[in-house]
Amino acid sequence: MSEKKPSRPPMDHVEFRKIGKETVDYIADYLETVQTRPVYPGVQPGYLRRLIPAEAPQDPETWEDVFADVERVIMPGVTHWHSPDFHAYFAPGNSYPSQLGDMLCNALGCVGFSWAASPACTELETVVLDWLGKMLQLPEHLLAGTAGAGGGVIQGTASEAILVALLSARTKVIQREREADPESSDHDVMKKLVAYSSDQAHSCVDKAAMIAAVKLRKLPTDSDFALRGTTLSAAMEEDKANGLIPFFSCATLGTTPSCAFDKLLEIGPVCCEENMWLHIDAAYAGSAFICPEYRPLLDGVEFADSFNLNPHKWLRVNFDCSTMWVRNRADVVDAFNVDPLYLRHDNQGLVTDYRHWQIPLGRRFRSLKLWFVLRMFGVKGLQQYIRKHVSLAKEFESLVLSDDRFEVSAKVVMGLVCFRLKGPNNLSERLLQKINETRKIFMVPAKLRDTYVIRFAICAATTESSDIVHAWNIIREQADEILTGVKNGI
Ligand code: PLP
């Protein structure tokens, strides 16, 4: 460590201007050259503890000392999500307008739990969610600037959006059941509640049901991994016959394992008929609905009580930004309204207080980055980005189909291709392990029923056709080695 000790606060305005600009340069250099780094780190668990002291320093350190540790300590353990060689999970959002929005959000540092806590924070969020809602052609009743009772909110993650929807639905059904039977208690109702999703839904639906202490039935899907209306209604009839109360259904548009689309136009009417809350989780694929050619996949959204998508996945917005719309804001506010004196203000009741729409009290000014992105890309720029990702996925699909040792395991609709080596699962398991060990590209697997598949997701904003060819060459080389080994009995 250097001997220099700053005697004043760690950084004043003058130093911040200089160092801040240098840090922006470092960030731009990092993103510009990210592909020169191995996409997956080569470190072992616990690597970091050995590189830094066991305790925080008593005396201040200099920025030079701190910043040097970014390359020494941090970078060796970073998985480079924005590298064109990253093909795991789903696309992570990133763009400079979004990063600037987050910088400004941090600088303003307001904690916009109520309108009064920072009016711009609340008002921009409401308006920008209407903008995005209109880009998605959402029904008017989900928007705030209409005569309807709905509106949009930014949650941190899809997991939170789904939990908020589930808890709101639970509160609503408990009220309804207790009005019908005033002798009953919350507990009497809760133990009968049952929620539904497909067996392809994200694990955050299981987690939400766990937290809400309600049963969740994960229903089987059709040959395209989509939940059908008949499956849902048969399950509900069975549960009702057993004295249970179906109250919530989560449909997924763009499932995590294979990007499948539940049949909303079948599920919607079933939920409506049963007076059951319908939530739509379109965490990844939802962004694509800004393109008219993909919008039909959202048909049936008019049946939904709530809907979420993650601009922090596929709309150039950095984590965290999960947009959620609800049909009736009172349903959410009823479930989350606590109102101590110290949080009240003069305009209470006349304006939106987003603290009643979410689990935590505090909230960041996240709409700034979304606003910057929508304005600086424009709808056309964002459509172009989505279309490019889908066409790169189609290109990869063609390469897989051109090699008869491989098969494509699910329909390719968006920027995800599920593929595998023909034959037993362990071949594809070994293939993925060998590929990831090269640290040249990074992918993750999924199970589609009993079939092990490798997920190839188009992730980085800078991915080009040459990166698809590069990835395919690595996959083929590793497959050659495995299949030669199998032939030779190794
Ligand atoms: N739903 C779907 C369909 C997803 O693919 C994911 C994550 O990939 C989630 C929910 C969870 O997202 P989050 O990390 O925003 O909670």
Side-chain angles (χ1 to χ4, degrees):
M1 294 285 153
S2 144
E3 292 296 302
K4 272 187 289 167
K5 301 275 185 294
S7 53
R8 294 171 292 103
M11 212 181 274
D12 63 17
H13 295 307
V14 175
E15 286 162 330
F16 178 66
R17 281 176 203 282
K18 178 174 172 291
I19 292 168
K21 284 167 192 155
E22 287 166 9
T23 308
V24 166
D25 278 341
Y26 174 84
I27 291 168
D29 286 346
Y30 166 72
L31 287 172
E32 213 179 345
T33 62
V34 62
Q35 204 169 8
T36 60
R37 300 176 188 253
V39 63
Y40 194 75
V43 295
Q44 295 302 315
Y47 90 96
L48 192 143
R49 188 177 280 281
R50 287 193 291 277
L51 297 179
I52 58 173
E55 273 143 42
Q58 291 296 325
D59 294 315
E61 295 183 36
T62 64
W63 171 253
E64 287 72 23
D65 286 341
V66 173
F67 192 60
D69 279 352
V70 173
E71 282 295 335
R72 185 184 72 87
V73 178
I74 302 302
M75 284 302 177
V78 170
T79 304
H80 299 287
W81 282 61
H82 300 293
S83 166
D85 296 326
F86 183 90
H87 297 290
Y89 315 113
F90 273 135
N94 194 5
S95 68
Y96 291 125
S98 167
Q99 290 189 34
L100 292 174
D102 253 351
M103 274 172 77
L104 190 56
C105 163
N106 289 339
L108 299 178
C110 48
V111 185
F113 46 75
S114 67
W115 179 88
S118 200
C121 181
T122 296
E123 295 206 7
L124 185 68
E125 186 161 328
T126 308
V127 176
V128 170
L129 271 269
D130 274 4
W131 279 19
L132 183 54
K134 286 177 193 167
M135 286 164 63
L136 295 160
Q137 296 177 53
L138 292 185
E140 286 226 324
H141 61 249
L142 291 178
L143 307 181
T146 64
V153 58
I154 301 180
Q155 306 283 356
T157 60
S159 309
E160 288 163 72
I162 292 167
L163 178 61
V164 164
L166 186 80
L167 292 174
S168 303
R170 191 186 72 174
T171 301
K172 195 172 176 179
V173 72
I174 289 175
Q175 273 166 7
R176 190 185 73 204
E177 294 295 319
R178 291 195 59 189
E179 269 164 33
D181 177 7
E183 299 296 304
S184 64
S185 66
D186 283 10
H187 179 67
D188 293 334
V189 181
M190 266 183 62
K191 65 185 186 199
K192 292 187 197 157
L193 295 181
V194 54
Y196 305 89
S197 73
S198 90
D199 57 10
Q200 304 294 306
H202 193 270
S203 58
C204 69
V205 182
D206 302 64
K207 199 186 259 188
M210 235 186 249
I211 295 170
V214 294
K215 285 180 209 59
L216 172 69
R217 270 188 80 174
K218 296 196 95 172
L219 303 173
T221 49
D222 69 10
S223 56
D224 287 332
F225 306 104
L227 178 62
R228 310 301 302 252
T230 46
T231 310
L232 176 62
S233 59
M236 282 174 30
E237 289 311 322
E238 188 183 292
D239 288 337
K240 283 196 297 183
N242 287 326
L244 298 177
I245 306 170
F247 81 107
F248 179 87
S249 178
C250 179
T252 311
L253 297 180
T255 59
T256 317
S258 69
C259 204
F261 292 79
D262 288 343
K263 298 285 182 206
L264 213 46
L265 284 169
E266 297 175 7
I267 293 168
V270 174
C271 294
C272 249
E273 226 163 81
E274 289 297 327
N275 204 5
M276 183 161 78
W277 187 293
L278 172 62
H279 179 80
I280 301 170
D281 172 24
Y284 163 68
S287 296
F289 305 145
I290 64 165
C291 299
E293 65 273 32
Y294 299 121
R295 178 57 179 77
L297 289 164
L298 188 58
D299 286 353
V301 64
E302 52 281 6
F303 295 108
D305 294 284
S306 51
F307 165 61
N308 76 272
L309 69 90
N310 285 0
H312 72 228
K313 280 191 162 59
W314 209 13
L315 214 59
R316 306 302 307 262
V317 178
N318 288 71
F319 189 84
D320 55 346
C321 179
S322 180
T323 45
M324 176 188 193
W325 291 265
V326 295
R327 173 189 289 271
N328 187 356
R329 33 187 191 258
D331 287 341
V332 181
V333 170
D334 281 356
F336 296 103
N337 195 342
V338 284
D339 210 12
L341 184 58
Y342 48 81
L343 296 177
R344 289 197 195 146
H345 57 88
D346 291 346
N347 290 298
Q348 191 123 326
L350 302 173
V351 292
T352 298
D353 284 335
Y354 276 127
R355 71 177 185 275
H356 303 312
W357 296 52
Q358 60 177 22
I359 310 288
L361 170 66
R363 55 200 330 274
R364 304 172 69 236
F365 200 159
R366 286 180 288 225
S367 56
L368 275 176
K369 58 184 167 185
L370 180 57
W371 190 44
F372 287 7
V373 164
L374 297 184
R375 292 181 64 183
M376 294 199 65
F377 284 92
V379 178
K380 287 184 186 156
L382 294 169
Q383 288 171 334
Q384 206 177 11
Y385 163 71
I386 299 276
R387 287 175 182 139
K388 182 176 166 196
H389 270 204
V390 179
S391 90
L392 290 170
K394 298 273 182 198
E395 196 177 323
F396 182 79
E397 181 191 25
S398 309
L399 291 171
V400 176
L401 291 173
S402 70
D403 187 330
D404 63 9
R405 299 171 303 170
F406 288 90
E407 62 194 12
V408 171
S409 317
K411 266 189 194 158
V412 178
V413 184
M414 301 279 165
L416 177 72
V417 184
C418 292
F419 72 104
R420 66 193 299 278
L421 276 170
K422 288 176 184 165
N425 282 344
N426 67 347
L427 282 183
S428 296
E429 280 174 36
R430 277 167 61 196
L431 175 62
L432 181 61
Q433 192 183 353
K434 274 174 71 61
I435 293 167
N436 285 344
E437 275 168 9
T438 69
R439 295 166 57 212
K440 291 180 180 163
I441 56 171
F442 178 47
M443 297 179 289
V444 294
K447 266 274 176 79
L448 293 175
R449 310 225 159 86
D450 290 329
T451 306
Y452 180 97
V453 302
I454 303 173
R455 293 169 77 267
F456 183 87
I458 310 296
C459 289
T462 51
T463 308
E464 294 295 340
S465 182
S466 54
D467 301 307
I468 304 303
V469 174
H470 168 70
W472 176 241
N473 286 339
I474 292 167
I475 294 165
R476 261 195 353 199
E477 274 164 28
Q478 298 302 324
D480 288 346
E481 279 188 24
I482 286 180
L483 294 175
T484 310
V486 169
K487 223 190 255 169
N488 297 334
I490 300 168

